[in-house]
Amino acid sequence: KVFFNSSYNLETFHREAYKLLKSHSDHNELETIQTIRRKSEVLPLGLNLQAFDKYIEQTRDSDPAPLVIWNHRWEHDKDPDTFTRLLLRLYEEGYVFRVALMGEVPYGTPKAFEELRATLGERIVHFGYAEDFATYASLLAKGDLLPVTSDQDFFGGSTVEAIYCGCYPLLPNQLAYPEHLPRGETEVLYHSYEELIDKMRKAMDQISQLRKKNRQHWVAQYDWHFMSRQYDDKLEQLAKGEW
């Protein structure tokens, strides 16, 4: 049995595995791809989302300027350059907002984020890794907008956490992101950089209305309270040889 944490990963694996085997001139055993596909299943990540609840309940942000969140690794595959370009453009257009830049910093600060900090100054309310969960959770609970610019993401745990805490996401219409949305919530998906800018403008103009909406139910199913039962059931079936 093969488990993948998203449909995107499942399809990507099968597609790339087929291409790899097909590149061999003989004995490529292409039929094994269908065998693996029949044994494949999506089992999403389990996350400790309920740990955020007390911070969501305690945090109230009355500042009219929306708080834009980045809570991913500071690496090129998350595309900090596009994120920075987006915010600098909105800043030049006169939009007033604040920014919290969180996440692991494995290889140093990207030049784009240095430029963002130099330009926005005190609008940057947090810069760097959140050293404790309370800081991280409180900032997410205060967050308003989550523009995601990642080029690669196998599941998107940080995105799920931010949505659970109330952030309004703007997500690429690719990778695993569409899988985290309820049916009909396609308004938060974008297909191009210009469309992302348009959606950010609209979100900032409507921030008071967006703050009133609860999006926790979009992703609450990933909490371990629910996912642990699924993992237990699957592992028990494996142990019994039922696959």
Side-chain angles (χ1 to χ4, degrees):
K1 192 69 176 179
V2 184
F3 292 111
F4 297 87
N5 59 26
S6 69
S7 297
Y8 161 73
N9 282 346
L10 184 151
E11 295 302 328
T12 299
F13 175 85
H14 292 148
R15 181 177 64 251
E16 297 303 319
Y18 180 85
K19 287 164 59 177
L20 175 64
L21 293 181
K22 194 172 177 60
S23 68
H24 296 288
S25 58
D26 57 0
H27 304 293
N28 52 29
E29 301 184 14
L30 290 176
E31 68 280 359
T32 60
I33 299 300
Q34 288 305 316
T35 301
I36 295 173
R37 180 178 287 275
R38 287 193 297 271
K39 294 182 177 182
S40 297
E41 188 172 338
V42 174
L43 187 60
L45 291 181
L47 302 170
N48 188 14
L49 297 177
Q50 292 185 14
F52 291 94
D53 287 350
K54 71 174 183 179
Y55 299 96
I56 296 170
E57 295 168 359
Q58 295 172 358
T59 303
R60 296 290 182 271
D61 193 354
S62 58
D63 194 317
L67 179 59
V68 180
I69 295 291
W70 169 291
N71 64 327
H72 324 291
R73 285 180 288 105
W74 293 22
E75 295 189 68
H76 72 279
D77 62 331
K78 303 305 180 184
D79 200 356
D81 291 351
T82 296
F83 181 87
T84 296
R85 187 156 54 105
L86 168 70
L87 294 192
L88 290 181
R89 179 161 171 179
L90 292 169
Y91 172 76
E92 291 169 359
E93 292 177 2
Y95 283 92
V96 178
F97 55 88
R98 299 162 296 146
V99 186
L101 295 168
M102 300 179 284
E104 295 183 11
V105 189
Y107 305 115
T109 303
K111 290 182 179 179
F113 282 179
E114 292 287 11
E115 179 184 3
L116 194 61
R117 179 164 62 172
T119 303
L120 298 186
E122 293 183 356
R123 295 190 184 201
I124 307 289
V125 301
H126 183 92
F127 190 91
Y129 185 71
E131 293 297 338
D132 55 70
F133 181 77
T135 300
Y136 177 68
S138 295
L139 284 168
L140 286 189
K142 293 178 182 177
D144 292 301
L145 302 177
L146 182 79
V148 176
T149 55
S150 301
D151 296 321
Q152 178 59 38
D153 212 333
F154 291 116
F155 180 77
S158 60
T159 296
V160 168
E161 289 174 343
I163 294 173
Y164 184 84
C165 289
C167 296
Y168 180 74
L170 291 173
L171 308 172
N173 189 27
Q174 60 179 351
L175 308 177
Y177 298 121
E179 299 178 44
H180 303 322
L181 304 176
R183 186 183 301 274
E185 292 291 347
T186 56
E187 180 62 26
V188 302
L189 298 174
Y190 67 88
H191 301 78
S192 67
Y193 173 67
E194 290 299 326
E195 187 177 7
L196 172 58
I197 293 173
D198 289 340
K199 288 181 179 291
M200 275 291 285
R201 292 190 189 107
K202 186 179 298 184
M204 287 190 174
D205 290 339
Q206 300 175 350
I207 197 63
S208 59
Q209 292 92 332
L210 292 177
R211 282 176 168 173
K212 297 175 183 176
K213 295 184 179 179
N214 188 319
R215 299 171 195 87
Q216 200 172 83
H217 62 282
W218 288 13
V219 294
Q221 71 274 13
Y222 297 130
D223 185 81
W224 269 119
H225 177 75
F226 306 105
M227 290 305 307
S228 59
R229 302 170 192 173
Q230 295 189 40
Y231 274 76
D232 286 346
D233 289 344
K234 300 301 180 184
L235 292 174
E236 285 181 10
Q237 292 176 29
L238 282 173
K240 294 177 182 178
E242 296 180 0
W243 273 307

